[in-house]
């Protein structure tokens, strides 16, 4: 697959267009166009605009004819090649935004707007949501500088197996409704990686006694969030060393618990065509 920048340069010359003309049409600087043509990669949300400028399908920007089908894996690899981890995450989130907008077509508060433009229009402290509610599944998207996320849930073929078999939700919520356990999760999730600790850290930071600290560690072990090993000190008092295993699921739990507590009210897009119950 040809380099996208080379294709853009070739198409521009065929059209007898300048870098400035392409830049003005797409909404970027001429320097950005020059960067693409010298090996850079346009942001994913700009690809349809670039293709429209040249009156070609997006596939053509990747050196593929209309009759050829671009392999999906190759397509996405081309989007991520040479990007840092932070740039990859932003590109993925931008793709989620483009998919969400495509479901709604041109109708909506932010129709056609790039992710960057949308975030600017939202403002630093505000939050805008988007949601598609079909009988076949649903999406939930949080936009804005304060908190961004994308959730896609295809409908489970068997909801009892998916959500309830062998799962004791009341027991879980009892465990984490304990303020000491919740505060310990926050404390440990804010520390570096898998940095080791002992019960004394919890006792000191949470102002609890040793017995309570041990109970907290026991709860976190139950959910495989903490692993313990015995450190042989050469005397009769072996010390228990704990290792915290951070979980992104805890962050997701906070995100959607927050949505339950502060109900979303401002939607860029909302399509509520769902008739089936969720569970």
């Amino acid at each position: 697959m040809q380099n996208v920048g080379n294709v853009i340069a070739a198409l521009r010359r065929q059209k007898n267009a300048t870098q400035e003309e392409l830049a003005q049409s797409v909404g970027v600087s001429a320097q950005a166009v020059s960067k693409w043509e010298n090996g850079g990669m346009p942001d994913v949300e700009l690809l349809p605009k670039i293709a429209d400028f040249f009156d070609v399908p997006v596939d053509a920007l990747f050196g593929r004819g209309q009759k050829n089908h671009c392999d999906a894996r190759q397509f996405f690899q081309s989007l991520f090649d040479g990007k840092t981890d932070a740039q990859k995450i932003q590109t993925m989130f931008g793709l989620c935004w483009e998919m969400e907008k495509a479901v709604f077509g041109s109708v909506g508060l932010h129709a056609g707007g790039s992710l960057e433009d949308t975030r600017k229009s939202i403002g630093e402290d505000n939050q805008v949501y988007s949601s598609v509610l079909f009988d076949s599944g649903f999406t939930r998207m949080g936009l804005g500088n304060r908190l961004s996320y994308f959730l896609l849930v295809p409908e489970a073929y068997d909801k009892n197996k998916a959500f309830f078999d062998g799962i004791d939700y009341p027991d879980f919520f009892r465990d984490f409704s304990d303020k000491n356990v919740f505060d310990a999760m926050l404390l440990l999730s804010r520390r570096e990686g898998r940095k080791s600790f002992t019960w004394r850290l919890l006792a000191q930071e949470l102002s609890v006694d040793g017995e309570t600290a041990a109970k907290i560690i026991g709860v976190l072990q139950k959910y495989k969030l903490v692993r313990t090993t015995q450190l042989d000190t050469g005397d009769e008092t072996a010390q228990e060393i704990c290792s915290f295993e951070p979980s992104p699921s805890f962050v997701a739990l906070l995100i959607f618990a927050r949505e339950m507590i502060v109900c979303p009210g401002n939607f860029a897009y909302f399509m509520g065509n769902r008739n089936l119950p969720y569970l």
Side-chain angles (χ1 to χ4, degrees):
M1 187 162 46
Q2 296 181 40
N3 179 278
V4 174
N6 292 339
V7 175
I8 290 175
L11 289 171
R12 183 177 59 77
R13 286 191 291 268
Q14 291 174 14
K15 190 180 175 72
N16 291 320
T18 65
Q19 290 182 341
E20 289 76 11
E21 288 171 335
L22 172 57
Q24 185 176 5
S25 175
V26 176
V28 298
S29 67
Q31 288 81 2
V33 175
S34 176
K35 183 178 179 181
W36 302 339
E37 295 186 359
N38 285 282
M41 178 68 194
D43 289 338
V44 64
E45 62 264 22
L46 296 178
L47 294 177
K49 294 181 180 180
I50 297 171
D52 287 346
F53 178 80
F54 294 120
D55 195 23
V56 297
V58 172
D59 272 6
L61 300 180
F62 295 87
R64 305 188 65 89
Q66 294 188 35
K67 294 182 179 180
N68 295 325
H69 296 285
C70 179
D71 177 80
R73 184 173 181 178
Q74 285 183 320
F75 172 78
F76 287 112
Q77 281 182 336
S78 71
L79 295 181
F80 300 127
D81 281 349
K83 283 183 164 60
T84 65
D85 289 347
Q87 290 169 333
K88 289 175 182 178
I89 289 291
Q90 288 304 308
T91 298
M92 284 191 284
F93 193 71
L95 286 168
C96 293
W97 178 227
E98 294 302 320
M99 288 190 296
E100 190 85 353
K101 290 192 299 180
V103 173
F104 292 89
S106 61
V107 180
L109 178 63
H110 297 283
S114 68
L115 179 60
E116 182 180 356
D117 290 341
T118 301
R119 282 175 165 162
K120 286 180 180 177
S121 68
I122 291 170
E124 183 175 348
D125 296 323
N126 296 320
Q127 190 75 8
V128 169
Y129 302 86
S130 182
S131 203
V132 179
L133 311 177
F134 293 152
D135 285 340
S136 54
F138 62 90
T139 70
R140 191 64 137 199
M141 190 169 193
L143 293 157
N145 297 303
R146 189 183 69 193
L147 180 62
S148 296
Y149 59 87
F150 182 78
L151 174 73
L152 168 64
V153 184
E155 197 71 3
Y157 76 92
D158 186 326
K159 291 186 174 67
N160 281 327
K161 287 183 178 180
F163 294 102
F164 301 108
D165 281 4
I167 303 297
D168 189 340
Y169 288 103
D171 186 51
F172 170 81
F173 286 114
R174 275 193 299 270
D175 284 337
F176 281 88
S177 66
D178 184 305
K179 188 176 186 307
N180 288 325
V181 173
F182 183 77
D183 287 347
M185 275 298 295
L186 292 181
L187 170 67
L188 296 173
S189 296
R190 288 166 173 163
R191 300 176 82 233
E192 290 181 26
R194 292 173 173 80
K195 192 174 180 181
S196 298
F197 68 97
T198 69
W199 65 268
R200 290 183 177 83
L201 173 73
L202 301 184
Q204 177 180 336
E205 296 295 329
L206 304 180
S207 300
V208 297
D209 57 30
E211 182 179 355
T212 302
K215 287 181 180 178
I216 293 171
I217 291 171
V219 171
L220 299 184
Q221 281 181 296
K222 176 180 176 181
Y223 298 102
K224 296 182 172 58
L225 293 164
V226 164
R227 301 182 186 277
T228 59
T229 56
Q230 296 293 326
L231 178 64
D232 187 357
T233 58
D235 54 30
E236 296 180 357
T237 58
Q239 188 173 13
E240 188 174 66
I241 302 298
C242 302
S243 174
F244 179 62
E245 301 293 328
S247 172
S249 295
F250 180 65
V251 178
L253 180 66
L254 295 182
I255 288 173
F256 293 104
R258 190 183 195 285
E259 274 209 12
M260 294 292 292
I261 297 167
V262 183
C263 184
N266 190 6
F267 282 83
Y269 298 101
F270 185 88
M271 183 179 288
N273 294 338
R274 186 181 179 94
N275 294 307
L276 292 179
Y278 284 101
L279 297 175

